[in-house]
């Protein structure tokens, strides 16, 4: 009897160990799947003369060139209208926006669309946070928000006039970014007008239509897609050094939007304009000087052509925009009447993405 009990205990111990090993093995498999599953989704538009635009959606993967055609819903309000961007929410539902600002949500079976409403503006950039909001912007430079719970559309504010939306919004480590015609901009979600240039890129990257991020568990990576003729090229962004990396892969599609399931999001992230650097800009080849102290007028001198200046603004030491001079005809005498005495920074940005700053001392 004792031998039988000993044998039974041995068998039970072996079964427990086998189950533990199976659980560990399954855990390793699931962890591997999570580690190496780097999927994202893109929407493409095929445009040919005399033929209505044709929408398509594909599932792609960072780690491989594989691509899978996905079911998606067609716009119902305006037939044959092109989708300019795509987003996916925390529950896995897909959203599509058209160039005229019509917003759709794909139903559970992915065979039909629910029309959600209209941003009442041309839209080319869309993303979802990990809560209940979608964010969008377009040619008018207004950042919009859509509440998935209440169905309310609202305008948060204008982004800087010199930053032209290129085609996608994306989150990266709880900060919101926008691809622009000149590079990448970090969006100030509390005051979009205070948004910050993040990466300046050359003319070869003027078609950065798509952007998204992948969470690898202990770190994230951000990616952008640039259109070149009828193809699209995938790049990784170096978010630490504010640079674009080497091409990863080329797709035989014109990709206009991208999205992934990404949980590191925010509804109120802020940034400080890059103009607010404690060190003044000095470049031998460019003249940009001011007369200090200033009272009522800043006397400014530069050899940069007026038509090359994208913005010229005055900020206080907290990063708040005090005065925007871009619509002032005479940029050599900047009107600061009514500005309180103190220390400020004057920032001038060119259409090439170059920024020059000068400390301004205002006296009464």
């Amino acid at each position: 009897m004792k031998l039988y009990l000993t044998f039974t205990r041995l068998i039970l111990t072996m079964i427990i160990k086998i189950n533990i090993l199976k659980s560990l093995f399954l855990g390793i498999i699931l962890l591997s799947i999570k580690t190496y599953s780097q999927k994202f989704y893109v929407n493409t538009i095929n445009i040919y003369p005399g033929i209505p635009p044709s929408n398509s959606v594909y599932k792609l993967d960072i780690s491989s060139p594989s691509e899978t055609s996905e079911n998606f819903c067609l716009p119902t309000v305006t037939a044959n209208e092109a989708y300019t961007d795509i987003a996916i929410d925390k529950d896995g539902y897909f959203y599509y926006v058209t160039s005229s600002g019509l917003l759709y949500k794909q139903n559970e079976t992915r065979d039909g669309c629910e029309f959600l409403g209209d941003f009442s503006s041309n839209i080319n950039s869309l993303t979802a946070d990990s809560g209940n909001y979608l964010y969008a912007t377009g040619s008018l430079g207004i950042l919009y928000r859509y509440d998935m719970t209440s169905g309310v559309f609202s305008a948060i504010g204008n982004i800087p006039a010199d930053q032209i939306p290129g085609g996608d919004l994306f989150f990266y480590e709880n900060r919101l970014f926008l691809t622009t015609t000149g590079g990448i901009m970090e969006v100030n979600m509390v005051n979009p007008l205070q948004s910050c240039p993040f990466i300046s890129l050359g003319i070869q990257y003027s078609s950065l239509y798509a952007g998204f991020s992948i969470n690898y568990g202990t770190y994230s990576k951000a990616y952008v897609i640039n259109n070149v003729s009828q193809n699209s090229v995938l790049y990784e962004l170096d978010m630490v050094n504010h640079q674009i990396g080497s091409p990863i892969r080329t797709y035989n599609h014109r990709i206009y939007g991208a999205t992934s399931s990404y949980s590191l999001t925010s509804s109120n992230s802020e940034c400080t304009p890059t103009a607010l650097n404690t060190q003044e800009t000095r470049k031998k080849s460019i003249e940009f000087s001011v007369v200090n102290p200033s009272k009522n007028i800043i006397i400014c001198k530069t050899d940069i052509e007026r038509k090359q200046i994208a913005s010229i603004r005055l900020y206080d030491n907290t990063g708040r925009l005090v005065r925007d001079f871009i619509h002032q005809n005479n940029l050599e005498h900047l009107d600061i009447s009514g500005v309180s005495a103190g220390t400020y920074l004057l920032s001038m940005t060119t259409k090439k993405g170059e920024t020059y700053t000068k400390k301004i001392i205002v006296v009464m």
Side-chain angles (χ1 to χ4, degrees), residues 13-239:
T13 301
M14 291 178 63
I15 292 174
I16 291 172
K17 288 183 178 179
I18 290 172
N19 286 334
I20 291 173
L21 288 173
K22 286 172 65 178
S23 298
L24 288 173
F25 182 69
L26 180 60
I28 292 171
I29 291 176
L30 293 175
L31 181 61
S32 299
I33 291 173
K34 183 176 181 180
T35 301
Y36 293 102
S37 178
Q38 304 165 30
K39 67 182 179 181
F40 61 101
Y41 299 86
V42 299
N43 67 286
T44 69
I45 306 176
N46 297 316
I47 301 176
Y48 301 101
I51 302 176
S54 174
N55 296 294
S56 297
V57 174
Y58 294 92
K59 180 171 70 174
L60 306 177
D61 197 289
I62 296 293
S63 62
S64 76
S66 65
E67 49 183 76
T68 304
S69 180
E70 291 284 307
N71 290 332
F72 68 99
C73 57
L74 294 172
T76 56
V77 176
T78 304
N80 300 319
E81 189 172 12
Y83 288 137
T84 52
D85 206 357
I86 182 176
I88 184 171
D89 69 13
K90 65 182 186 300
D91 298 317
Y93 289 104
F94 285 90
Y95 297 80
Y96 305 93
V97 68
T98 69
S99 57
S100 64
L102 305 183
L103 182 65
Y104 296 90
K105 178 181 179 181
Q106 194 164 17
N107 63 18
E108 293 183 11
T109 58
R110 292 197 180 186
D111 60 358
C113 267
E114 176 188 357
F115 175 61
L116 300 178
D118 191 348
F119 284 103
S120 300
S121 177
N122 292 333
I123 298 295
N124 61 18
S125 306
L126 183 72
T127 195
D129 65 14
S130 56
N132 297 310
Y133 296 112
L134 294 173
Y135 300 90
T137 189
S139 60
L140 294 183
I142 301 173
L143 181 66
Y144 296 95
R145 183 165 63 190
Y146 172 76
D147 189 325
M148 303 176 199
T149 303
S150 65
V152 173
F153 292 81
S154 59
I156 301 176
N158 290 79
I159 64 174
D162 58 311
Q163 299 291 321
I164 303 173
D168 215 343
L169 287 157
F170 65 95
F171 283 98
Y172 174 80
E173 295 187 348
N174 301 307
R175 297 148 67 193
L176 182 61
F177 293 86
L178 172 69
T179 64
T180 70
T181 55
I184 308 293
M185 181 186 76
E186 182 176 354
V187 179
N188 188 318
M189 301 177 73
V190 175
N191 182 1
L193 199 59
Q194 294 295 297
S195 298
C196 312
F198 190 77
I199 300 178
S200 295
L201 299 171
I203 188 66
Q204 68 269 34
Y205 300 111
S206 60
S207 298
L208 285 181
Y209 292 161
F212 62 98
S213 296
I214 298 289
N215 185 357
Y216 291 85
T218 58
Y219 63 94
S220 296
K221 289 185 177 181
Y223 302 88
V224 290
I225 299 175
N226 190 45
N227 275 351
V228 181
S229 186
Q230 292 298 316
N231 298 322
S232 300
V233 184
L234 174 68
Y235 298 86
E236 180 184 333
L237 290 178
D238 183 344
M239 302 296 279

